[in-house]
Amino acid sequence: MRIVGIAGSLRSGSFNAALLRAALEECPPGAILEIESIRGIPLYDGDVEAAQGIPARAAELKDKVAAADALLLVTPEYNNSIPGTFKNAIDWMTRPVADIPRVFKGRPVGLIGASPGNFGTVLSQSAWLPVLRTLGMRPWFGQLLYVGSAGKVFDASGKLTDAAIRQRLRNYMEGFVAFVSADAGTIS
Ligand SMILES: Cc1cc2nc3c(=O)[nH]c(=O)nc-3n(C[C@H](O)[C@H](O)[C@H](O)COP(=O)(O)O)c2cc1C
C-alpha cells in the first residue's frame, strides 16, 4: 500500500513537515508513506493554465496521488483556516476538472496537523472538509490528531520528542492504514 503525504508548509523548520516525517516513522509495516511537499507550485493563474497548461510540479504531484492508494494531508492553520499556500497547491491539482476523478474521487484521505497554539489546527482541519467533499474524497474520521503546543513536542531538529503524541500518531497511522486496506479496490 502506498500513501502520499503532503505537508502544507514551505518553512524549513515546519512543524507540519516534521509531523509528516514522524508519521513515516510510525507507519505500520506493509504501508509506504511517500513524503511530499507543496514546493515548486506557482500561484494559480487561469491565464497561465490556458496558455501553458498545468505546471510540471503540480502535474507530477497529481500523478503521484493518482498512483497511490491514499492521501495524507498534514495541514498548518493560518487565521483559523487553511493556509493559502496549501490550498493553492491542491487547487492546481484539481485542474483540469476532468482529471478530478482520476486523482481524487473516492480516494481515502487522512488529515492531521500541528501548530504552536493550544488548538492544534482544529479549525484548519475542519476547513478542509468542504474541499474534500467537493472532490468526492473518502475522509477517514476514525481518529483525530490535533498537535498543539508544537514548539514543545518537537525538538530543534524537528524530531517528535513527546511520547504521548508519538503514540497517538502511531494509533492514527495504524487506523488509517487499516481503513485504506479495507477500502482497497473501491476507488472509482
Ligand atoms: C499568517 C499566519 C496566520 C496564523 N494563524 C494561526 C491560527 O489561526 N491558528 C494557529 O494555531 N496558528 C496560526 N499561525 C501560526 C502557525 O500555526 C505557525 O506559524 C506554524 O508554525 C505554521 O506551520 P509550520 O510550522 O508547518 O510552518 C499563523 C501563522 C501565520 C504565518
Side-chain angles (χ1 to χ4, degrees):
M1 177 200 301
R2 287 180 44 245
I3 300 169
V4 170
I6 306 178
S9 170
L10 295 169
R11 211 167 63 84
S12 58
S14 165
F15 293 125
N16 287 280
L19 182 60
L20 178 55
R21 292 194 299 272
L24 171 61
E25 292 167 2
E26 299 306 333
C27 198
I32 296 168
L33 178 60
E34 294 179 13
I35 305 275
E36 275 298 345
S37 83
I38 58 172
R39 187 163 299 284
I41 298 183
L43 284 177
Y44 179 77
D45 182 334
D47 293 338
V48 170
E49 182 183 8
Q52 301 166 26
I54 308 302
R57 175 67 182 133
E60 179 188 36
L61 262 184
K62 279 172 61 179
D63 289 344
K64 286 189 175 186
V65 173
D69 297 293
L71 176 64
L72 178 66
L73 297 177
V74 189
T75 188
E77 177 171 306
Y78 286 179
N79 295 309
N80 291 351
S81 191
I82 304 168
T85 38
F86 200 4
K87 178 70 163 42
N88 174 74
I90 298 296
D91 287 342
W92 261 123
M93 291 169 68
T94 64
R95 305 296 295 172
V97 169
D99 272 0
I100 290 177
R102 176 176 74 89
V103 179
F104 295 103
K105 191 166 171 43
R107 195 167 307 286
V109 58
L111 193 55
I112 59 178
S115 94
N118 290 333
F119 303 106
T121 73
V122 173
L123 290 167
S124 67
Q125 290 194 37
S126 293
W128 274 106
L129 298 180
V131 179
L132 306 181
R133 181 177 59 196
T134 295
L135 299 178
M137 298 196 80
R138 210 184 296 268
W140 183 54
F141 291 128
Q143 291 173 41
L144 299 168
L145 189 62
Y146 305 124
V147 178
S149 305
K152 295 181 187 150
V153 306
F154 296 97
D155 71 12
S157 71
K159 185 172 173 50
L160 179 59
T161 51
D162 186 297
I165 299 289
R166 184 171 284 281
Q167 181 62 53
R168 289 183 54 205
L169 179 60
R170 184 176 308 145
N171 294 345
Y172 186 97
M173 292 308 294
E174 285 173 359
F176 183 50
V177 165
F179 171 75
V180 177
S181 295
D183 210 73
T186 61
I187 296 173
S188 53

